[in-house]
């Protein structure tokens, strides 16, 4: 499952991320627990919560972020 | 209008010298934690602080003094990591490597985990560090409480709680800086071993869980507003409402200010005063003309600068200062990301574009946070070609005061069209890639009244200091050109272009000459010219596309290189004359002679 197509309101754990320094810096990396908030239509970004922070990630990156649902 | 007072954009050589001469302390932290407020409180200098990532994209330094201990404070650009992902991070890393005396690290109490992760990276550098725990008020609003003692215990450094905008905790912070950095009594530095970013995040998360307690507060009204704004519905609606309201405030309040106060003041009192004063000089026609003729210094400096530029610039700064402090703009950036990415850039650049509505110089500097040179160049080109600065917009609003309703609308449509066109062309032509958006969305904040007015006032003063000089030079230059009739041969030479191709009156020549100095000066000469609607539209298009001002050339040369600066100058001028003329020719061809 990739982050872009993940369900809004679901908690995920990140399985893999594409090569992108900013993702690492901001804390989106393998093993991070996030809550997906929404995907924006028409090529828009994904919004997610990481801890108490709100983060927006462009669609092209979000498609390559693999996630797994947190049980 | 550069954005902040006394900001020195330094080259690395000079900063190395500073490091040798004096004790120097770096002020560091993640973006958007209030570092710039600390800086201005510590040094008495003002740096624009705003509620979005990357306000301090260049670095700034100032002198500070604690009980007679002098030192340099350097405001380092806010970054999320020290892995040199963009120019801001590169600057931060190179400053740390130059061997400063210490670091004052600003922690964000509302997002401790992210802050701690960056702090751990800083602690690896074997430099004394003191931390300030800022934004406690926001943390409390989110229902979080941070245990300072536990935090100190885990980090091994002193942590001082602060609320920077209200100046709480500064005395204690200064004392701590004195004891731990300036005159260290004990050299206790915890050197962390080299951790991967995954391990760093794990460690940060452990510390966070150890020191933070949650009380599970409900979202405040402000947070609910922030959430609504970032959703497509009703976010787009609110965004458009905010944009419309901002524009309405600037345009209508500006017009009112002009009509009720400034025009009567200038035309009724100031100009007649100088007319009287210089009436004895009427026998010396040339001198009289230069001083108070139709384009005399003492006439147009007031007519152009005071009644044309000042009201709109002031109001724009008022509105923009509020917007940028509130956290509204990054939410718009998220909403508009889909549109922006179709243009070849990502949504975060919207902030630079909005900034450029004020002035291109800070906007171009702000593109340093872009992920690639290509992205920087696309945004810079859009700014240079199409986006009018506030002084210019003010002049255009005044020019269009007499125009038909379609003229301003057509110009706005032209700007939109040109943004699409230019971003498409530049992203095709330039090599490289543009990374999609990865952006933190800051909390919605109601700007603190005291710091809002302070910031507004400083920007206003700054505008007067920085813009007044070039504007006066342009005015004096204009007065002399017209008064000595030196303009006539130039006008004659340019006549085929101006009247045949552009279909414009001879004032255009003056506008084209003055426009090189400052943007609004390319519009100002038209205001007396009784243009037709079509001519007003063409005047607007020419002035929009025309050469950006001298300060922009300077910043292009220092941020990129002289080649970029020259390329922008040549292409904007050619494009402006070409498109302006094209509109004229087409309008004539289809018989649209108004």
């Amino acid at each position: 499952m990739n982050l872009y197509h993940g369900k809004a309101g679901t908690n995920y754990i990140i399985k893999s991320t594409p090569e992108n320094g900013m993702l690492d810096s901001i804390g989106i990396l393998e093993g991070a627990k996030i809550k997906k908030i929404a995907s924006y239509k028409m090529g828009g970004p994904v919004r997610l919560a990481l801890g108490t922070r709100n983060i927006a990630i462009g669609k092209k990156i979000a498609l390559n972020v693999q996630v797994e649902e947190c049980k | 209008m550069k954005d902040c007072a006394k900001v020195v954009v330094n080259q690395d050589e000079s900063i190395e010298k500073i490091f040798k001469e004096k004790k120097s302390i770096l002020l560091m932290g993640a973006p958007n934690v209030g570092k710039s407020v600390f800086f201005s409180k510590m040094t008495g200098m003002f740096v624009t602080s705003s509620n979005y990532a990357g306000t301090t994209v260049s670095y700034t330094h100032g002198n500070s003094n604690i009980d007679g201990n002098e030192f340099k404070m350097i405001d380092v650009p806010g970054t999320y990591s020290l892995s040199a992902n963009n120019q801001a991070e590169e600057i931060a890393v190179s400053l740390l490597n130059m061997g400063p005396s210490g670091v004052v690290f600003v922690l964000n109490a509302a997002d401790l985990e992210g802050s701690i992760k960056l702090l751990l990276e800083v602690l690896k550098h074997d430099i004394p560090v003191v931390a300030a725990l800022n934004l406690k008020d926001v943390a409390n609003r989110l229902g979080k409480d941070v245990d300072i003692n536990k935090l100190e215990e885990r980090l091994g450094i002193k942590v001082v709680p602060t609320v920077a905008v209200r100046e709480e905790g500064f005395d204690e912070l200064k004392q701590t800086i004195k004891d731990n950095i300036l005159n260290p009594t004990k050299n206790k530095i915890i050197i962390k071993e080299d951790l991967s970013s995954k391990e760093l995040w794990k460690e940060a998360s452990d510390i966070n869980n150890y020191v933070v307690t949650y009380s599970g507060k409900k979202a405040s009204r402000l947070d609910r507003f922030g959430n609504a704004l970032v959703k497509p519905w009703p976010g787009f609606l609110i965004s458009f409402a905010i944009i419309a309201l901002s524009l309405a405030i600037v345009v209508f309040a500006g017009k009112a200010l002009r009509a009720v106060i400034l025009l009567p003041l200038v035309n009724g009192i100031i100009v007649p005063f100088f007319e009287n004063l210089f009436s004895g000089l009427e026998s010396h026609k040339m001198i009289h003309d230069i001083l108070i003729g139709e384009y005399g210094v003492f006439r147009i400096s007031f007519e152009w600068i005071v009644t044309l530029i000042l009201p709109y610039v002031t109001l724009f700064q008022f509105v923009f200062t509020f917007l940028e402090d509130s956290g509204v703009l990054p939410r718009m950036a998220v909403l508009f990301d889909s549109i922006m990415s179709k243009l070849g850039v990502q949504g975060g650049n919207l902030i630079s574009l909005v900034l450029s509505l004020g002035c291109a110089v800070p906007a171009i500097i702000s593109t340093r946070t872009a992920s690639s040179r290509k992205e920087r160049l696309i945004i810079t080109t859009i700014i240079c070609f199409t986006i009018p600065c506030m002084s210019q917009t003010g002049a255009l609003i005044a020019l269009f005061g007499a125009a038909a309703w379609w003229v301003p609308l057509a110009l706005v449509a032209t700007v939109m069209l040109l943004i699409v066109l230019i971003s498409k062309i530049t992203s095709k032509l330039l090599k490289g890639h543009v990374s999609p958006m990865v952006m933190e969305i800051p909390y919605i904040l109601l700007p603190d009244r005291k710091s809002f007015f302070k910031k507004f006032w400083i920007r206003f003063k700054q505008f007067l200091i920085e813009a007044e000089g070039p504007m006066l030079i342009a005015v004096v230059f204009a007065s002399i050109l017209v008064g000595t009739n030196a303009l006539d041969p130039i006008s004659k030479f340019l006549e085929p272009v101006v009247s045949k191709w552009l279909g414009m009156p001879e004032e255009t020549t003056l506008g084209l000459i003055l426009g090189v100095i400052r943007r609004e000066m390319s519009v100002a000469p038209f205001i007396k010219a009784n243009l037709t609607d079509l001519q007003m539209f063409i005047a607007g298009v020419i002035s929009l596309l025309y050469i950006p001002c001298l300060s922009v050339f300077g910043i292009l040369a220092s941020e990129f290189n002289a080649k970029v600066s020259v390329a922008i100058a040549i292409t904007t001028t050619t494009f402006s004359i070409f498109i302006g003329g094209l509109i004229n020719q087409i309008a004539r061809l289809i018989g649209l002679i108004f």
Side-chain angles (χ1 to χ4, degrees):
Chain A
M1 173 72 95
N2 67 56
L3 179 60
Y4 188 80
H5 291 113
K7 252 201 341 245
T10 313
N11 290 309
Y12 289 107
I13 187 157
I14 307 241
K15 286 280 129 193
S16 73
T17 60
E19 195 73 13
N20 183 308
M22 272 310 283
L23 282 181
D24 265 32
S25 307
I26 216 162
I28 307 288
L29 59 176
E30 196 196 324
K33 285 179 189 148
I34 56 130
K35 180 177 179 183
K36 175 165 173 176
I37 302 174
S39 282
Y40 289 73
K41 294 198 175 77
M42 319 266 289
V46 166
R47 194 154 59 92
L48 56 92
L50 175 70
T52 51
R53 286 183 297 159
N54 253 268
I55 291 166
I57 294 178
K59 178 178 178 180
K60 279 189 191 138
I61 297 181
L63 280 171
N64 291 310
V65 173
Q66 296 299 320
V67 292
E68 192 173 274
E69 203 170 328
C70 263
K71 294 276 153 46
Chain B
M1 180 182 71
K2 217 183 259 176
D3 225 1
C4 25
K6 292 185 198 164
V7 165
V8 189
V9 181
N10 290 288
Q11 302 301 319
D12 288 348
E13 301 86 54
S14 64
I15 201 86
E16 257 175 338
K17 221 174 94 196
I18 290 164
F19 273 56
K20 283 192 191 111
E21 279 168 3
K22 230 181 212 173
K23 289 211 164 181
S24 48
I25 298 182
L26 303 183
L27 185 64
M28 300 188 73
N32 206 26
V33 296
K35 280 186 310 300
S36 300
V37 183
F38 277 85
F39 183 77
S40 52
K41 298 275 151 79
M42 298 291 297
T43 61
M45 278 162 54
F46 194 85
V47 178
T48 320
S49 47
S50 334
N51 189 14
Y52 50 76
T55 316
T56 318
V57 275
S58 56
Y59 55 85
T60 319
H61 64 81
N63 291 315
S64 192
N65 183 321
I66 299 172
D67 300 340
N69 296 283
E70 280 186 21
F71 62 94
K72 274 268 181 211
M73 181 134 237
I74 294 144
D75 187 20
V76 181
T79 58
Y80 293 105
S81 77
L82 296 176
S83 38
N85 288 312
N86 54 38
Q87 226 178 340
E89 292 188 6
E90 281 167 23
I91 292 173
V93 175
S94 68
L95 285 171
L96 263 177
N97 288 335
M98 283 179 203
S101 320
V103 173
V104 173
F105 192 94
V106 184
L107 289 162
N108 177 357
D111 166 38
L112 205 52
E113 194 175 330
S115 283
I116 291 175
K117 184 251 170 188
L118 179 64
L119 175 55
L120 293 174
E121 288 184 76
V122 173
L123 287 173
K124 279 194 296 197
H125 278 79
D126 197 7
I127 298 166
V129 179
V130 164
L133 184 68
N134 199 34
L135 295 175
K136 268 204 92 166
D137 46 339
V138 178
N140 291 340
R141 197 177 91 201
L142 298 168
K144 290 185 184 182
D145 197 37
V146 182
D147 187 323
I148 306 254
N149 293 331
K150 283 184 175 175
L151 191 58
E152 286 185 334
E153 168 204 324
R154 286 294 292 263
L155 292 171
I157 57 170
K158 286 296 279 181
V159 180
V160 180
T162 57
V163 180
V165 289
R166 292 202 295 267
E167 293 186 49
E168 288 172 25
F170 273 81
D171 291 338
E172 196 192 336
L173 181 65
K174 283 183 181 168
Q175 189 61 41
T176 313
I177 293 173
K178 191 176 135 194
D179 295 344
N180 291 274
I181 298 177
L182 297 171
N183 304 307
T185 41
K186 47 182 191 251
N187 243 342
K188 190 186 164 200
I189 305 159
I190 307 287
I191 304 163
K192 303 275 165 187
E193 64 276 38
D194 236 354
L195 298 173
S196 70
S197 65
K198 204 176 156 187
E199 290 163 320
L200 280 169
W201 276 108
K202 172 132 194 349
E203 171 90 9
S205 160
D206 280 353
I207 298 177
N208 181 64
N209 294 340
Y210 181 63
V211 302
V212 179
T213 45
Y214 298 86
S215 65
K217 250 188 203 165
K218 263 171 83 184
S220 73
R221 200 181 295 167
L222 219 49
D223 294 320
R224 285 203 299 272
F225 173 74
N227 284 334
L229 183 55
V230 79
K231 284 179 193 154
W233 172 258
F236 272 112
L237 191 73
I238 304 175
S239 296
F240 285 119
I242 291 173
I243 294 168
L245 184 70
S246 310
L247 272 177
I249 291 175
V250 174
V251 174
F252 293 112
K255 277 189 170 185
L257 211 61
R258 200 167 124 82
V260 177
I261 301 172
L262 298 172
L263 281 177
L265 181 73
V266 168
N267 293 340
I269 300 170
I270 298 177
V271 172
F273 170 79
F274 284 108
E275 277 172 344
N276 255 330
L277 191 69
F278 298 127
S279 59
L281 287 171
E282 256 157 36
S283 47
H284 308 276
K285 192 175 177 308
M286 191 185 280
I287 296 172
H288 185 262
D289 276 358
I290 291 176
L291 290 175
I292 196 76
E294 199 193 345
Y295 284 91
V297 174
F298 289 90
R299 187 186 301 275
I300 55 174
S301 61
F302 292 105
E303 282 184 357
W304 289 357
I305 300 173
V306 178
T307 69
L308 217 65
I309 316 296
L310 216 56
Y312 299 107
V313 170
T314 315
L315 285 159
F316 176 82
Q317 285 170 341
F318 192 83
V319 170
F320 187 78
T321 304
F322 187 86
L323 277 186
E324 78 171 344
D325 270 355
S326 63
V328 163
L329 294 176
R331 286 173 171 73
M332 289 189 185
V334 173
L335 286 180
F336 285 89
D337 181 53
S338 63
I339 298 167
M340 301 275 290
S341 52
K342 287 189 179 64
L343 299 178
V345 290
Q346 49 97 6
N349 293 302
L350 187 74
I351 295 169
S352 298
L353 294 182
V354 174
L355 202 57
S356 74
L357 284 171
C359 173
V361 172
I364 291 170
I365 296 177
S366 78
T367 59
R368 278 191 184 178
T369 45
S371 62
S372 68
R373 186 180 159 87
K374 177 175 176 169
E375 188 177 359
R376 284 199 77 183
L377 275 171
I378 295 175
I379 295 300
T380 303
T381 315
I382 293 177
I383 291 170
C384 289
F385 270 84
T386 62
I387 307 209
C389 71
M390 202 59 229
S391 310
Q392 193 181 11
T393 309
L396 286 169
I397 293 169
L399 175 68
F400 293 159
W405 61 270
W406 64 265
V407 178
L409 285 185
L411 196 66
V412 172
T414 311
V415 170
M416 299 292 176
L417 194 72
L418 284 169
I419 291 178
V420 174
L421 204 70
I422 286 165
S423 54
K424 286 273 179 203
I425 293 173
T426 43
S427 51
K428 273 256 151 49
L429 288 180
L430 294 169
K431 287 193 198 87
H433 80 291
V434 174
S435 273
M437 162 185 264
V438 176
M439 192 181 76
E440 184 176 343
I441 308 168
Y443 311 102
I444 280 274
L445 294 175
L446 257 189
D448 178 75
R449 197 188 308 162
K450 205 172 127 197
S451 50
F452 168 80
F453 278 105
K454 188 172 176 202
K455 186 167 166 182
F456 168 69
W457 171 240
I458 283 171
R459 281 196 164 164
F460 179 71
K461 228 168 42 184
Q462 197 56 26
F463 173 75
L464 291 185
I465 295 165
E466 293 204 2
E468 196 75 5
M471 282 199 287
L472 281 175
I473 292 171
V475 164
V476 171
F477 194 53
S479 304
I480 293 174
L481 270 181
V482 177
T484 59
N485 298 326
L487 191 62
D488 295 347
I490 308 174
S491 297
K492 199 156 210 159
F493 177 72
L494 289 177
E495 206 255 319
V497 177
V498 170
S499 75
K500 295 269 160 48
W501 172 247
L502 296 172
M504 296 295 284
E506 62 174 2
E507 283 86 349
T508 314
T509 316
L510 188 58
L512 292 178
I513 296 173
L514 299 184
V516 178
I517 305 175
R518 273 189 62 87
R519 281 182 163 188
E520 71 278 1
M521 291 298 164
S522 64
V523 186
F526 291 119
I527 293 179
K528 293 182 171 207
N530 278 327
L531 302 182
T532 63
D533 286 339
L534 177 64
Q535 283 177 323
M536 281 197 220
F537 176 57
I538 294 172
V541 173
I542 296 174
S543 130
L544 264 189
L545 287 172
Y546 195 56
I547 249 178
C549 67
L550 285 180
S551 329
V552 173
F553 291 136
I555 205 72
L556 286 176
S558 69
E559 290 292 303
F560 299 97
N561 51 43
K563 221 172 89 190
V564 171
S565 187
V566 172
I568 294 263
I570 293 173
T571 46
T572 46
T573 312
T574 326
F575 205 56
S576 140
I577 304 291
F578 175 72
I579 300 284
L582 200 64
I583 294 171
N584 177 44
Q585 300 301 330
I586 292 171
R588 262 152 227 280
L589 211 64
I590 51 178
L592 268 174
I593 303 161
F594 292 89

